[in-house]
């Protein structure tokens, strides 16, 4: 009788191990954690974008029922929240790095800035007391515009940042680019805005701080993608205590998308204040608070030019970008528009000369940092919009223009002119598969049918590349990173043969408990159900670097593989002793150790038990136990790539755009769990559609007030905005990690925005519209159609 058990190894799609507790309400999130004697914190935030704090009167508030303590910037006696990456300007000078104290001391610099911490017996009492805190402000002129921030007349956010400039950085060969443009047959130019986005994970941020008077140790429970880095930054720089005196626990986290990588002021405040009041303190953000305190994403303004020869080959590219940092430098903000963005300007193309300039500016807005894709969506959007426009201007078919400039499959490893070296790829194949699945050849018939119904139909394409698993540590350290970027994996085989994996990565929706269990089950031959994955507690796991940049499998999984290699090597020695054979003659496969050329065998479970019960064991040669730790520092980034195709239909009477079909064909290297991969791509595509058509953080240019501070004004994608999404993979293996995996978490959000906007513009071309900015809202689309119609009538 055939085995009816579901497949659980590499390449299978078992149900996610973690979903039972999530679906039955048994998840353990930070807000679910309550400590004995716990108090509650409310943070009084600035109503102004820019103002001096003249006076804070807390006397009345301190006397209100339930109030335990109130702290202001004058009370705070520790360090500021540090930035984790330093960038140098063209002239070699370091970036301007202003202090960021968890409580403002003399001035507020964006709406939502922290003014006072109110601690009470319950949240309602803390809120009531906050209303009684009397703050006198002297309002100042604010600047929120990325494009205008460096103008001489703009309000100055920081006195040390002349013209609000944080740094003025560049990469590439300017002379080579100038020479290419001098001989160009055609030059295409484009100006683009990559608008600011709010991350909006389902679970808002939360933190519980606790101080143990007996040991002098602090514990922080927090919604983090990155617990060890939080411990490093907060312990060393903010609390200024030995790192081992701080434990950081990140339990279940309900989504992050990058916004929970960073070290936030609220985490520092509740931990610091817990020692002052000698009681645990809990803070949980509400959604309105999240809009003015969570690090936001994107916000780039760019001008780009592409030089082509007479055959349509790209010969030069130059880009000038202004990147908004907000009022403060968030943890990894400086590297997003520079080393995570400009280094990808070659994309999938053989452009021989590239030069990019990036000016980062301060404004009176919420800090900006990595958001799903972190720099790669911005670069892909710029590049794919520019290539699409070049195709229109030159008359070369847009698919043919891309194909003509692809890096060929046989050219790898391929050195780009902007630092990176790609190890593998097959861009023609992903393009061919996408064209077939998206029925590109049949589109014109569908366009004609839509025209009969009075609709405008369009199809758009994006051929993209991203860099994942940022590495290696030695290189990123030389580029300004203030932390390593390796990963740890610890594999503990228990006496009965079950396995616990301790990983420095963190899961907040990616399915690590399933994927890592599949990896271990497939490698060691133990049942899938017998593998547990532990993460998120700095007291349980070796030092790790968290989850971001699609690094968990490629970097974290590789560390686990290296640890399992050590496990197998030791287990072979034990098996050799049990079977009285040479270690060189021992094979291991499907959970069994065998002696070559014989029928002798012992199971993995038998070896595990022997390791812990050393009655028949080479105790003088081997230590008891079966547990190994490995660290993996990648030699290079990994480079997923692919083709995304979007098809839309627009109602010219209303400007409403409907996304009808979306095809995503990605090369992400080896796939461990196809179901999880498909889910990751679906989620990323939906976020990309949200940016392309719906989402935008808007600030009032005069007052600096956030105009989109709730779901009444900030439009998130809903079920009826999501089309049928076809997902396919075409793998070329990563050549420098043991898994061959490249990463999938961000590809959907990278390839989709330009595919959507290119489709919208394809639909609008018959109406005379040649450009539109994100988000292409119904009002914006309708206005573009009307303006084009009036212009045509005036000719």
């Amino acid at each position: 009788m055939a085995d009816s058990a579901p497949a659980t190894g590499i390449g299978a799609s078992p149900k996610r191990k973690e979903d039972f507790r999530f679906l039955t309400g048994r998840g353990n999130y930070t807000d679910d954690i309550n400590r004995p004697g716990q108090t509650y914190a409310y943070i009084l935030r600035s109503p102004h974008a820019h103002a001096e704090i003249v006076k804070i009167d807390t006397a009345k508030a301190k006397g209100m029922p339930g109030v335990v303590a109130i702290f202001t910037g004058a009370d705070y006696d520790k360090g500021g929240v540090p930035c984790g990456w330093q960038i140098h300007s063209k002239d070699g000078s370091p970036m301007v790095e202003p202090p960021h104290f968890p409580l403002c001391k003399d001035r507020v610099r964006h709406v939502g800035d922290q003014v006072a911490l109110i601690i009470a017996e319950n949240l309602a009492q803390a809120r009531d007391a906050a209303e009684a805190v009397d703050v006198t402000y002297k309002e100042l002129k604010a600047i929120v515009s990325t494009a205008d921030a460096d103008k001489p007349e703009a309000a100055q956010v920081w006195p040390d940042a002349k013209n609000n400039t944080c740094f003025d950085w560049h990469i590439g060969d300017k002379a080579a680019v100038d020479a290419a443009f001098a001989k160009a047959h055609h030059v295409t130019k484009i100006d683009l805005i990559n608008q600011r986005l709010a991350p909006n994970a389902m679970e808002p941020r939360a933190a519980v701080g606790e101080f143990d008077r007996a040991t002098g140790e602090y514990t922080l429970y927090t919604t983090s993608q990155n617990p060890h880095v939080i411990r490093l930054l907060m312990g060393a720089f903010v609390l200024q205590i030995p790192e081992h005196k701080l434990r950081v626990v990140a339990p279940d986290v309900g989504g992050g998308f990058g916004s929970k990588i960073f070290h936030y002021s609220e985490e520092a405040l509740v931990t610091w204040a817990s020692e002052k009041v000698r009681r645990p303190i809990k803070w949980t953000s509400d959604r309105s608070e999240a809009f003015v305190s969570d690090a936001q994403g994107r916000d780039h303004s760019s001008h780009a030019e592409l030089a082509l020869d007479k055959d349509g080959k790209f010969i030069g590219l130059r880009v000038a970008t202004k990147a908004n940092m907000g009022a403060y430098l968030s943890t990894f903000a400086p590297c997003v528009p520079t080393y995570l963005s400009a280094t990808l300007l070659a994309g999938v193309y053989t452009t021989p000369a590239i030069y990019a300039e990036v000016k980062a500016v301060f404004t009176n807005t919420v800090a900006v940092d990595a958001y799903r894709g972190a720099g790669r969506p911005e670069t892909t959007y710029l590049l794919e919009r520019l290539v699409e426009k070049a195709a229109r201007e030159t008359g070369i078919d847009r698919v043919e223009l891309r194909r003509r400039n692809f890096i060929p499959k046989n050219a790898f490893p391929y050195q780009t002119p902007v630092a990176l070296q790609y190890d593998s790829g097959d861009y023609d194949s992903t393009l061919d598969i996408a064209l077939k699945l998206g029925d590109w050849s049949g589109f014109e018939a569908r366009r004609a049918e839509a025209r009969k119904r009075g609709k405008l139909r369009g199809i758009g394409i994006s051929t993209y590349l991203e860099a994942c698993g940022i590495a290696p540590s030695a290189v990123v350290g030389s580029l300004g990173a203030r932390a390593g970027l390796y990963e740890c994996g610890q594999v503990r085989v228990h006496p009965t043969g079950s396995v616990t994996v301790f990983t420095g990565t963190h899961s907040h929706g990616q399915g690590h408990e399933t994927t890592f269990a599949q990896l271990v089950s497939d490698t060691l031959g133990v049942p899938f159900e017998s593998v547990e994955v532990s993460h998120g507690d700095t007291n349980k796991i070796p030092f790790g670097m968290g989850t971001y940049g699609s690094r968990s499998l490629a970097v974290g999984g590789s560390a686990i593989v290296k640890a399992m290699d050590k496990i197998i090597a030791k287990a072979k020695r034990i098996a050799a002793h049990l079977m009285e054979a040479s270690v060189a003659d021992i094979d291991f496969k499907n959970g069994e150790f065998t002696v070559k050329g014989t029928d002798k065998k012992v199971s993995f479970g038998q070896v595990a038990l022997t390791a812990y019960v050393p009655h028949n064991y080479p105790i003088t040669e081997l230590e008891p136990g079966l547990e190994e730790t490995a660290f993996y520092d990648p030699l290079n980034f990994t480079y997923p790539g692919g083709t995304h195709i979007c098809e839309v239909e627009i109602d010219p009477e209303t400007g409403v755009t409907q996304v009808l079909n979306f095809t995503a064909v990605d090369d992400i290297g080896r796939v461990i769990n196809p179901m999880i991969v498909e889910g990751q791509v679906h989620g990323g595509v939906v976020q990309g559609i949200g940016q392309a058509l719906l989402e935008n953080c808007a600030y009032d240019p005069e007052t600096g007030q956030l105009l989109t501070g709730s779901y009444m004004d900030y439009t998130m994608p809903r079920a009826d905005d999501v089309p049928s999404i076809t997902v396919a993979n075409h793998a070329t293996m990563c050549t420098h990690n043991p898994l061959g995996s490249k990463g999938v978490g961000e590809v959907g959000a990278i390839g989709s925005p330009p595919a959507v906007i290119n489709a919208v513009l394809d639909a609008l071309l018959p109406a005379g519209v040649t450009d539109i900015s994100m988000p292409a809202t119904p009002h914006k689309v309708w206005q573009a159609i009307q303006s084009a119609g009036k212009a045509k009538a005036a000719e």
Side-chain angles (χ1 to χ4, degrees), residues 689-726:
I689 291 171
Q691 174 167 16
L693 300 179
L694 304 166
E695 298 182 47
N696 181 38
C697 280
Y699 287 86
D700 182 272
E702 297 299 323
T703 66
Q705 292 293 324
L706 180 64
L707 303 177
T708 51
S710 76
Y711 290 151
M712 295 292 288
D713 302 294
Y714 189 94
T715 310
M716 294 284 284
R718 295 167 171 79
D720 59 355
D721 297 308
V722 179
S724 168
I725 302 174
T726 300

Side-chain angles (χ1 to χ4, degrees), residues 379-661:
T379 288
T380 298
Y381 182 71
L382 181 149
L383 201 53
E384 290 304 290
R385 286 289 315 279
L386 185 60
V387 171
E388 191 82 359
K389 187 176 183 184
R392 301 285 187 200
E393 291 178 353
T394 60
I396 302 172
D397 177 80
R398 48 190 162 157
V399 172
E400 170 57 26
L401 184 62
R402 287 174 167 86
R403 200 186 295 275
R404 196 175 294 183
N405 286 281
F406 276 167
I407 300 165
K409 184 179 179 180
N410 62 4
F412 295 95
Y414 180 81
Q415 179 63 53
T416 76
V418 276
L420 300 182
Q421 185 181 85
Y422 308 157
D423 65 321
S424 65
D426 184 2
Y427 311 130
D428 277 295
S429 292
T430 54
L431 174 62
D432 289 339
I433 296 168
L435 292 174
K436 183 177 180 179
L437 290 176
D439 190 19
W440 185 272
S441 62
F443 171 72
E444 288 304 328
R446 298 192 295 278
R447 191 202 293 270
E449 186 277 331
R451 191 181 300 118
K452 293 177 182 177
R453 293 184 284 108
K455 307 294 185 182
L456 301 173
R457 196 168 182 124
I459 194 167
I461 191 168
S462 167
T463 50
Y464 77 92
L465 178 103
E466 76 153 319
C468 297
I470 180 171
S473 292
V475 172
V476 298
S478 70
L479 301 178
R482 288 166 169 165
L485 288 163
Y486 53 84
E487 196 46 76
C488 75
Q490 185 179 70
V491 178
R492 180 179 299 165
V493 181
H494 302 289
T496 55
S498 61
V499 178
T500 300
V501 174
F502 299 90
T503 175
T505 66
H506 189 279
S507 180
H508 38 280
Q510 294 89 340
H512 293 177
E513 293 174 40
T514 301
T515 304
F516 290 161
Q518 288 180 257
L519 187 59
V520 172
S521 174
D522 198 86
T523 304
L524 299 183
V526 300
F528 174 69
E529 297 77 13
S530 298
V531 183
E532 291 188 350
V533 177
S534 179
H535 59 88
D537 186 339
T538 59
N539 274 18
K540 291 183 178 180
I541 58 176
F543 197 103
M545 298 305 299
T547 291
Y548 45 86
S550 301
R551 71 187 300 272
S552 294
L553 183 61
V555 187
S558 293
I560 293 169
V561 167
K562 288 170 71 69
M564 288 193 291
D565 288 343
K566 293 181 180 181
I567 291 283
I568 293 169
K570 182 175 181 179
K572 280 184 175 182
R573 295 178 68 185
I574 300 171
H577 179 80
L578 290 174
M579 294 185 285
E580 299 179 333
S582 168
V583 174
D585 291 332
I586 301 297
D587 285 333
F588 178 65
K589 186 177 181 182
N590 298 328
E592 288 186 331
F593 296 90
T594 59
V595 180
K596 295 175 183 176
T598 75
D599 60 357
K600 289 183 177 182
K601 62 181 179 180
V602 293
S603 68
F604 183 81
Q606 185 177 350
V607 169
L609 183 60
T610 302
Y612 287 94
V613 185
H615 298 161
N616 182 20
Y617 189 89
I619 198 74
T620 58
E621 303 171 21
L622 287 172
E623 294 178 348
L626 198 54
E627 177 178 332
E628 298 287 350
T629 300
F631 289 81
Y632 176 69
D633 198 328
L635 298 174
N636 193 357
F637 288 88
T638 64
Y639 298 99
T643 299
H644 288 186
I645 293 175
C646 178
E647 195 164 334
V648 304
E649 196 169 87
I650 297 173
D651 182 348
E653 298 298 319
T654 63
V656 170
T657 299
Q658 181 182 4
V659 182
L660 301 173
N661 297 293

Side-chain angles (χ1 to χ4, degrees), residues 143-360:
I143 177 68
V144 300
S145 167
T146 304
D148 297 336
D150 62 342
K151 292 182 178 178
E153 65 271 19
Q156 294 299 290
V157 182
W158 293 99
D160 294 338
K162 184 179 179 182
N163 294 330
N164 290 318
T165 300
C166 176
F167 59 79
D168 190 2
W169 174 91
H170 68 159
I171 192 170
D173 188 335
K174 186 177 185 299
V177 170
D178 290 344
F181 274 81
K183 64 180 182 181
H185 179 75
H186 178 81
V187 173
T188 293
K189 301 178 181 181
I190 199 166
D191 292 288
L192 295 171
I193 300 293
N194 209 291
Q195 83 272 28
R196 182 182 286 233
L197 303 176
N200 282 310
M202 280 200 294
E203 180 198 18
R205 288 189 299 115
V208 180
E210 184 172 14
F211 177 71
D212 187 333
R213 294 173 62 193
T215 63
E217 295 177 352
Y218 299 82
T219 298
L220 169 67
Y221 302 90
T222 184
T223 47
S224 175
Q225 301 172 217
N226 212 356
H228 263 114
V229 173
I230 300 304
R231 186 178 75 161
L232 174 64
L233 296 177
M234 194 166 90
F237 297 97
V238 184
L239 299 181
Q240 300 168 351
I241 59 173
E243 188 181 347
H244 72 280
K245 288 292 187 180
L246 174 62
R247 176 190 180 194
V248 177
V249 181
D252 289 328
V253 173
F257 312 117
S259 70
K260 293 173 182 171
I261 301 170
F262 327 119
H263 178 28
Y264 285 96
S265 296
E266 296 86 355
E267 297 166 323
L269 284 176
V270 296
T271 310
W272 165 77
S274 68
E275 181 186 5
K276 301 292 185 182
V277 303
R278 299 187 175 185
R279 293 172 64 182
I281 303 170
K282 174 188 275 191
W283 169 81
T284 301
S285 172
D286 61 29
R287 188 61 63 183
S288 295
E289 195 172 13
F291 271 104
V292 294
S293 63
D294 290 3
Q296 297 172 349
R298 316 288 191 245
D299 207 342
H300 290 184
S301 173
S302 298
H303 174 78
E305 300 181 0
L306 178 66
L308 299 88
D309 69 13
K310 61 183 178 58
D311 298 317
K313 290 284 288 181
F314 305 159
I315 59 173
L317 172 68
R318 55 188 172 207
V319 177
T321 293
K322 283 185 188 176
N324 196 336
M325 296 287 101
Y328 302 97
L329 289 179
S330 183
T331 307
F332 294 116
C335 75
V336 173
T338 52
Y339 293 111
L340 294 184
S341 185
T343 54
L344 265 293
L345 281 168
V348 294
Y349 307 115
T350 56
T351 313
I354 299 174
Y355 179 70
E357 300 171 289
V358 178
K359 180 183 284 189

Side-chain angles (χ1 to χ4, degrees), residues 37-61:
Q38 177 177 287
T39 61
Y40 292 80
Y42 180 81
I43 296 171
L44 181 64
R45 299 182 180 276
S46 169
H48 305 295
H50 198 194
E52 290 181 7
I53 300 174
V54 178
K55 182 182 178 183
I56 303 178
D57 186 349
T58 62
K60 180 180 177 182

